[in-house]
Amino acid sequence: MSSRSQRVSSGIDSLVRRLLVEIPGEDPASAEEREQNAVDFVREFLGSSRGPAIVADVNQASDLIKKRLIQTNASPEKALRFTNLYSRLLSIPVITQKWAVLYFLYQLGDQQQKLPPILTSPFKSPVKTGRASRKMESFIPQSPGYGSNREDKPLVEAFAPDGIKTLPVREGGQRDRKEEDQAFFKSASIQREGVALKTALLAENYVEIDPPETALLRDLPFTLQGLSSTHLPFSSVSTLKLPATLPVPIISILHTLAEPSLLYRGLSLFVQSPGGGLLEQSLRAAISGELRSYLGLVATLEGQIRRALSTLDEKEPRGGIGKAGVTLKRCVVWTREATMGLRLMSLISEESKSKKGGQLISLIHGFSSSHGDPMVGAFAERLLIHVTRSFYDMLRQWIYDGELSDPYHEFFVSEQDPNAIKDNQDGRSRGGASSVWEDKYKLSEDMVPSIITQDFAQKVFLIGKSLNFIRYGCGDSQWVEEYSKAASKELRYGDTATLETWIDEAYKTTMARLIHLMAEKFHLFEHLKALKNYILLGQGDFIALLMESLSSNLDRPAGAQYRHTLTAQLEHAIRGSNAQYDSPEVLRRLDARMLQLSHGDIGWDCFTLEYKIDAPVDVVVTEWGNRQYLKVFNFLWRIKRVEFALASTWRKCMTGARGVLQGEDKNVSQAWKLTRGVLAEMIHFIGQLQYYILFEVIESSWDELQSAIHKEGCTLDDLIKAHTKYLNAITHKGLLGAKKKHHGENDDNTFMVQLGEILRLMLSYREAVDGLYSWAVSDFTRRQGADVRNEAQGRREDDDGLLINTPATTRRGPRNLLDSTPATLPDESIPDEFPVLQERLQALGGHFKSRVCLLLGDLAYQPDVDMRFLGVVMNFNDVYQPVRKKNRATGKEQGRSSAKG
Amino acid sequence: MPEGENKQDKQATQAQARQVIDVFHEISTLLNADLDRQTLSICISLIENGVNPEALSSVVKELKREGEETIKAHQSGSH
């Protein structure tokens, strides 16, 4: 350490001695003092700043030197020499601090910097063109004079670290900056050498061209602006005529220069053409903005050209153009970037002709997001900001006001033409409000711009639709206005994350409000509950009372039913049951009416309960839903009716069995026994069916519906879906599913038809039983009458034997009349009637059994567990042999034969 | 033998050092650094010994400036 500092101090001493000037005639003392001062100063200075301030790197110092050499010297010789020296230096191992020495030399060289009077370095352009035309604008005005100031400014800008740093940024920052600089300068120096050589060669072998390059240069700015000039006239919109006299290389250069000119012409025409929609207009505005900056570039170019031409030395070879720094080739390089931009814009303008609205945005967004060239990406991104402005305006109006302001149909939500909707209705007529929700607006997928995802578009669509629905369907425009005032924000392209959070927020608020309105203002959930209670027979006491009070009425033909009696009975049923505690809002919607009559129907077939739903709740309980409810109600009502009928018959039989039905006839009591058995079977069947539908189907589906609609963040669409699912589950599991075509014979296969058949059989069986009962009653009375007569006759014969001999007409007439009116008819017909009845009962019973077997066979092979369960419950003790559809014909035979046997 | 090797080494080192100084001198002329060989070698040895190159360059500049000033002052004084 000490030796090192010693060496340093001795070095300082010798350095000072070498550098201090001998002043002739100075006295040695003062000279020594001066020297001492200097040494002290040096020591202090060096001591205070030990250690390199900058990270030591040989390459950096050499780069700096190279840069300087290239800058300060017109020819690359020196730089080349330096490179040679530098490589030699690197091969020598003696010195450890090569970087430091180089850096020291670099610092020392600083003061002697003198710029040779060259105009502008041609190597500025690769850097320059990296920036857009704006950069060009910025550097020219900085040098208003053609003086010394101008000389180094552009150079500094071009080669200063600032100017170069932009390179890696532009190229995506992939490469190491230093490495890149090195490569650049190496290539620059090589290029430089080549250019020098070429210039010399060109100057020697220069052939005069006609028109001269200067003239071409003078015309060039006009050409670039799409204007005809003397040498380069535009012969038509898309052709530029080049002078035929020019040599091929110049022609090829001019070809390159003609490209931006022609593109510009095309684009300026495009900009002037009227845009179809708002987005197209904004695209034109954005492009015209870009064209303006292109014109700015052309203006600077023109300035450069003029300045260069004004300093031309006519005596030099090639008209001195080689020295002026502005040549046609330079112009090509300068306009290269602009040409790329123009090319992209003309591509966009061409493709935009067949696209509109969201597709247009998708097109440009495609360039900005998936194009490999980062420059193209950045350019498209810039365009996108302008183009999307009107789109975001529409989006804002849509998600904050629920209004669609889209005069040119460019938004991805479109308002449906009411007439078109009517055409599209395939036989399904819909209520007013449901069309507001379902049909008023439509989301067209292909119009969704790729800047937003499909999910997102769906959300946006829902928000606007809900707002619109709140405003028009629910009549709550006040809330919408307040909300739009409070929440409205300006949306613009770029910050997707914020936009998303805003839209999510809007989505939540809107949906919550809509559900709130539905629940609180329109009592949607109450209505659903009421539908279940009344239409799906959930309110048992009400239904029982209604049926009881209506039964006598409904037995009459359908034509004899009057609405007022029905409504009166309904009112009675409501008053008499727990339904009276329901809210009047619900009760006033309940109505009883007759369905369309057909000939021969009785009241039972036509009666229906109705629950009136009006807008906007009919968005959820649609027309279709209402029909489903009605279907289920009619089915349940029929089951109820059969149950009711069977129960009353059963009751009659039971009471009768203790009195009128007791007889000695073995045959008759056997018939009664069989009948009771079949009746019990039927009652079991009906009971199971009812239990299944009410508890297994309706209640479980209801439970699912409840959990679905009370979920957090539930939307109206979810509600509608859940309700539809609920109805579908009920109709499907409740054996009411739509008819399925099966091997061409669809009628027998649906459960609906099978059950209908079974229910009909039950009713006719019940009629037959009633017939048997009345036969039994009359038989009973006949027997009683016979007994009485026998007794009376016996007594009479005992008492009054003479009477027999008296003429029949006088004595028997009145008694016979009295007695025989009930007795004579049975006397002849009753014995005939019993076997007929018995036969009929047997046939019906057998038929019923075979039908049930068929049904069970079908049920056993259902994919749905619940439906299989119904089969099991009905046939819990294996009384029936389920028959599969395929061998139904044999099954029928079997059923029949087993019933007979 | 080690003596001889050492000597050889030393000679080689010296030759290399000369080479290095040649190279640096050439670079300094390229850069118009205005340093003679002697000064340059002093500076190189200083730097090799850990002197901050930036500081050294400013010192050299300063000394040169001072020298010029004294010469000027002297000249003006002598006139």
Side-chain angles (χ1 to χ4, degrees):
Chain A
M1 203 59 219
S2 64
S3 72
R4 169 164 283 199
S5 58
Q6 217 172 345
R7 257 184 276 166
V8 169
S9 67
S10 71
I12 290 171
D13 283 346
S14 48
L15 180 68
V16 168
R17 228 166 288 138
R18 283 217 52 95
L19 284 176
L20 274 190
V21 218
E22 293 283 309
I23 303 169
E26 196 184 28
D27 68 301
S30 67
E32 202 169 317
E33 194 195 325
R34 207 156 52 87
E35 188 186 317
Q36 196 53 49
N37 281 346
V39 168
D40 284 348
F41 157 74
V42 170
R43 251 193 217 132
E44 202 180 317
F45 194 88
L46 291 183
S48 66
S49 55
R50 243 171 220 288
I54 311 160
V55 184
D57 181 11
V58 198
N59 286 335
Q60 194 209 354
S62 83
D63 280 350
L64 287 171
I65 292 172
K66 241 189 268 181
K67 253 186 244 177
R68 162 108 32 90
L69 286 174
I70 290 166
Q71 271 174 34
T72 50
N73 295 292
S75 66
E77 286 156 40
K78 283 194 175 177
L80 273 179
R81 227 172 103 219
F82 170 73
T83 322
N84 288 340
L85 284 172
Y86 179 61
S87 50
R88 245 171 78 202
L89 182 67
L90 284 181
S91 65
I92 301 170
V94 183
I95 300 254
T96 51
Q97 304 278 3
K98 283 173 192 138
W99 165 79
V101 177
L102 282 174
Y103 192 70
F104 161 73
L105 289 175
Y106 172 72
Q107 292 281 333
L108 263 185
D110 217 346
Q111 65 211 102
Q112 275 87 12
Q113 194 186 77
K114 277 198 187 83
L115 290 171
I118 189 154
L119 288 176
T120 41
S121 165
F123 304 110
K124 171 181 69 190
S125 25
V127 184
K128 273 289 33 126
T129 45
R131 313 305 299 145
S133 50
R134 231 171 282 136
K135 193 89 186 200
M136 283 291 271
E137 284 171 339
S138 70
F139 103 78
I140 296 297
Q142 274 175 0
S143 50
Y146 196 58
S148 59
N149 163 15
R150 201 197 66 91
E151 285 170 7
D152 57 2
K153 258 266 169 156
L155 293 180
V156 167
E157 219 198 40
F159 286 108
D162 285 4
I164 290 148
K165 252 180 209 155
T166 58
L167 264 175
V169 171
R170 192 168 60 88
E171 291 183 8
Q174 297 283 328
R175 292 167 65 191
D176 185 23
R177 198 206 136 201
K178 210 193 302 154
E179 189 186 320
E180 186 160 294
D181 282 5
Q182 217 175 346
F184 172 69
F185 281 106
K186 218 165 263 171
S187 71
S189 59
I190 290 159
Q191 222 177 330
R192 184 121 213 163
E193 191 186 30
V195 166
L197 191 67
K198 277 178 204 154
T199 321
L201 279 172
L202 270 177
E204 276 168 30
N205 307 331
Y206 183 65
V207 187
E208 199 65 41
I209 55 168
D210 176 52
E213 191 169 354
T214 46
L216 289 175
L217 273 176
R218 213 165 266 133
D219 286 349
L220 191 62
F222 300 105
T223 309
L224 287 177
Q225 291 174 57
L227 301 171
S228 285
S229 54
T230 336
H231 298 294
L232 302 167
F234 282 96
S235 55
S236 77
V237 182
S238 56
T239 39
L240 177 66
K241 205 163 150 36
L242 301 176
T245 49
L246 289 172
V248 176
I250 300 283
I251 290 285
S252 91
I253 290 174
L254 285 178
H255 271 308
T256 327
L257 283 170
E259 189 188 352
S261 320
L262 292 172
L263 288 176
Y264 174 77
R265 265 173 87 94
L267 280 173
S268 62
L269 278 179
F270 172 73
V271 166
Q272 278 155 19
S273 69
L278 290 176
L279 277 175
E280 279 147 70
Q281 283 167 26
S282 50
L283 173 67
R284 279 166 177 74
I287 288 184
S288 81
E290 291 296 328
L291 289 184
R292 223 171 295 131
S293 63
Y294 167 76
L295 286 183
L297 168 75
V298 174
T300 32
L301 202 63
E302 189 179 3
Q304 288 284 76
I305 290 172
R306 278 182 197 290
R307 210 172 288 141
L309 290 178
S310 68
T311 56
L312 273 187
D313 185 357
E314 295 291 335
K315 281 168 228 112
E316 292 262 334
R318 287 173 72 209
I321 204 156
K323 283 267 167 61
V326 179
T327 58
L328 282 176
K329 280 190 192 119
R330 284 281 296 283
C331 292
V332 170
V333 175
W334 272 339
T335 52
R336 205 165 55 185
E337 179 96 351
T339 311
M340 298 272 283
L342 287 172
R343 226 181 268 165
L344 181 64
M345 282 194 289
S346 76
L347 186 65
I348 290 173
S349 73
E350 278 303 316
E351 289 199 23
S352 75
K353 276 171 192 159
S354 60
K355 300 206 158 74
K356 68 184 246 180
Q359 295 165 328
L360 197 60
I361 296 179
S362 302
L363 168 74
I364 304 176
H365 187 245
F367 280 114
S368 89
S369 59
S370 56
H371 200 284
D373 188 343
M375 190 224 125
V376 171
F379 191 88
E381 194 86 3
R382 209 164 61 219
L383 271 184
L384 210 51
I385 292 171
H386 298 287
V387 173
T388 51
R389 197 165 286 157
S390 60
F391 170 78
Y392 278 103
D393 275 351
M394 279 183 234
L395 186 65
R396 198 197 61 209
Q397 278 222 312
W398 176 248
I399 64 170
Y400 291 123
D401 299 335
E403 294 282 2
L404 189 64
S405 70
D406 182 16
Y408 297 102
H409 305 288
E410 294 171 305
F411 202 51
F412 55 83
V413 176
S414 56
E415 194 162 357
Q416 290 278 85
D417 186 13
N419 298 327
I421 299 167
K422 266 178 202 153
D423 291 342
N424 286 339
Q425 277 172 349
D426 32 18
R428 280 172 154 198
S429 58
R430 295 184 185 225
S434 77
S435 72
V436 169
W437 180 256
E438 297 285 348
D439 299 329
K440 189 173 178 189
Y441 294 107
K442 227 183 83 194
L443 180 72
S444 49
E445 307 251 319
D446 53 336
M447 289 292 270
V448 178
S450 52
I451 45 175
I452 55 179
T453 58
Q454 287 291 349
D455 265 11
F456 209 55
Q458 197 64 41
K459 248 184 197 174
V460 168
F461 176 60
L462 259 183
I463 294 171
K465 201 164 75 164
S466 308
L467 281 175
N468 200 281
F469 185 70
I470 291 174
R471 190 186 282 240
Y472 296 110
C474 309
D476 195 10
S477 56
Q478 200 190 348
W479 180 83
V480 176
E481 266 155 41
E482 274 167 26
Y483 162 77
S484 92
K485 259 181 220 144
S488 202
K489 292 180 182 78
E490 205 199 330
L491 309 174
R492 71 160 65 82
Y493 179 73
D495 198 355
T496 325
T498 331
L499 184 69
E500 250 167 68
T501 51
W502 281 350
I503 287 187
D504 277 345
E505 211 172 276
Y507 182 75
K508 268 185 207 132
T509 329
T510 322
M511 290 304 140
R513 177 67 191 176
L514 189 54
I515 296 298
H516 173 80
L517 275 178
M518 275 291 166
E520 301 294 321
K521 193 172 170 194
F522 300 109
H523 312 288
L524 173 67
F525 301 138
E526 278 177 46
H527 288 317
L528 288 180
K529 192 153 178 50
L531 275 169
K532 176 177 159 277
N533 277 348
Y534 300 115
I535 302 297
L536 303 183
L537 310 192
Q539 186 92 28
D541 56 344
F542 165 78
I543 294 298
L545 193 57
L546 184 68
M547 186 155 285
E548 224 166 90
S549 55
L550 276 174
S551 62
S552 57
N553 212 343
L554 289 179
D555 280 333
R556 278 184 241 146
Q561 308 294 329
Y562 299 106
R563 196 184 160 83
H564 55 90
T565 44
L566 295 180
T567 45
Q569 296 300 343
L570 178 69
E571 195 63 29
H572 166 73
I574 291 172
R575 291 280 157 258
S577 68
N578 269 331
Q580 61 181 307
Y581 302 115
D582 229 331
S583 76
E585 171 72 18
V586 166
L587 292 179
R588 85 182 162 78
R589 289 167 192 274
L590 207 55
D591 188 25
R593 68 182 177 92
M594 303 305 292
L595 291 173
Q596 270 184 334
L597 315 169
S598 59
H599 185 70
D601 278 351
I602 59 164
W604 287 107
D605 300 324
C606 299
F607 175 78
T608 185
L609 266 187
E610 204 177 31
Y611 193 81
K612 291 203 188 77
I613 293 281
D614 50 13
V617 182
D618 63 354
V619 163
V620 178
V621 186
T622 53
E623 191 86 359
W624 172 82
N626 258 332
R627 273 206 312 280
Q628 298 301 309
Y629 273 121
L630 215 63
K631 211 159 119 186
V632 177
F633 170 77
N634 284 331
F635 179 63
L636 288 173
W637 183 251
R638 266 170 81 193
I639 295 177
K640 256 295 190 257
R641 180 220 168 177
V642 172
E643 187 202 21
F644 182 76
L646 286 176
S648 54
T649 304
W650 182 257
R651 202 163 53 233
K652 225 170 5 181
C653 291
M654 286 301 106
T655 39
R658 270 180 256 124
V660 271
L661 298 186
Q662 280 170 340
E664 298 85 36
D665 193 343
K666 274 263 168 67
N667 213 6
V668 173
S669 46
Q670 179 63 26
W672 268 115
K673 194 181 170 201
L674 280 176
T675 308
R676 275 199 296 274
V678 176
L679 261 183
E681 252 176 54
M682 288 176 175
I683 288 171
H684 166 76
F685 181 87
I686 285 288
Q688 290 308 330
L689 189 63
Q690 247 186 333
Y691 154 76
Y692 166 74
I693 291 178
L694 290 179
F695 290 92
E696 298 292 336
V697 177
I698 296 180
E699 284 301 331
S700 68
S701 307
W702 174 252
D703 199 46
E704 273 171 32
L705 175 71
Q706 287 297 312
S707 62
I709 61 181
H710 289 301
K711 230 179 351 196
E712 193 69 26
C714 174
T715 67
L716 191 54
D717 264 347
D718 291 345
L719 273 186
I720 293 173
K721 246 178 253 160
H723 185 252
T724 313
K725 199 176 146 218
Y726 163 67
L727 281 180
N728 274 334
I730 289 176
T731 46
H732 172 68
K733 282 198 211 165
L735 312 179
L736 292 172
K739 286 183 181 177
K740 278 175 273 178
K741 290 261 177 198
H742 203 91
H743 301 308
E745 27 156 24
N746 51 353
D747 276 359
D748 282 0
N749 287 333
T750 59
F751 291 111
M752 182 70 168
V753 174
Q754 290 190 31
L755 281 173
E757 183 72 13
I758 289 174
L759 291 179
R760 216 168 23 252
L761 276 172
M762 286 178 180
L763 282 179
S764 16
Y765 192 80
R766 177 235 175 194
E767 262 167 40
V769 174
D770 280 353
L772 184 66
Y773 181 79
S774 35
W775 175 83
V777 169
S778 49
D779 184 53
F780 178 72
T781 41
R782 190 179 54 85
R783 270 187 282 122
Q784 259 190 341
D787 285 352
V788 170
R789 216 180 309 143
N790 284 345
E791 268 176 43
Q793 232 161 20
R795 232 182 288 136
R796 213 172 281 146
E797 276 168 13
D798 292 342
D799 293 348
D800 194 5
L802 285 168
L803 276 175
I804 304 162
N805 299 325
T806 54
T809 42
T810 53
R811 275 179 298 155
R812 268 184 122 170
R815 200 183 59 189
N816 259 355
L817 271 174
L818 272 173
D819 236 353
S820 63
T821 352
T824 40
L825 271 170
D827 253 340
E828 280 118 43
S829 60
I830 285 170
D832 302 327
E833 211 171 305
F834 177 69
V836 175
L837 278 171
Q838 202 178 12
E839 174 90 357
R840 184 164 159 70
L841 281 174
Q842 261 178 3
L844 284 173
H847 211 57
F848 168 73
K849 257 187 196 145
S850 66
R851 280 284 174 186
V852 170
C853 286
L854 265 181
L855 180 74
L856 289 178
D858 281 355
L859 281 177
Y861 292 98
Q862 280 301 307
D864 193 286
V865 184
D866 285 339
M867 286 164 87
R868 283 209 298 274
F869 170 74
L870 172 65
V872 172
V873 165
M874 279 182 177
N875 192 17
F876 66 97
N877 54 359
D878 273 340
V879 147
Y880 306 103
Q881 273 88 44
V883 180
R884 193 84 180 95
K885 269 182 268 184
K886 277 174 199 160
N887 42 10
R888 194 184 48 238
T890 53
K892 252 180 193 166
E893 290 286 293
Q894 270 180 2
R896 212 165 272 159
S897 60
S898 71
K900 269 176 187 162
Chain B
M1 276 324 267
E3 277 273 305
E5 259 181 45
N6 243 354
K7 216 176 177 183
Q8 259 187 341
D9 255 18
K10 222 173 189 176
Q11 272 178 351
T13 319
Q14 270 177 350
Q16 278 182 337
R18 206 169 298 130
Q19 235 179 329
V20 165
I21 289 170
D22 280 344
V23 170
F24 277 130
H25 189 243
E26 226 170 310
I27 292 173
S28 82
T29 40
L30 273 177
L31 285 166
N32 294 332
D34 194 19
L35 286 175
D36 52 32
R37 279 182 73 89
Q38 210 101 35
T39 323
L40 186 64
S41 60
I42 293 168
C43 289
I44 291 170
S45 72
L46 275 175
I47 289 167
E48 279 293 285
N49 282 309
V51 171
N52 186 333
E54 207 161 357
L56 186 63
S57 74
S58 45
V59 162
V60 170
K61 273 188 232 169
E62 185 64 24
L63 286 175
K64 276 188 185 166
R65 199 179 49 80
E66 225 168 80
E68 274 169 39
E69 263 173 30
T70 44
I71 286 170
K72 260 184 214 162
H74 187 77
Q75 276 169 352
S76 63
S78 67
H79 279 301

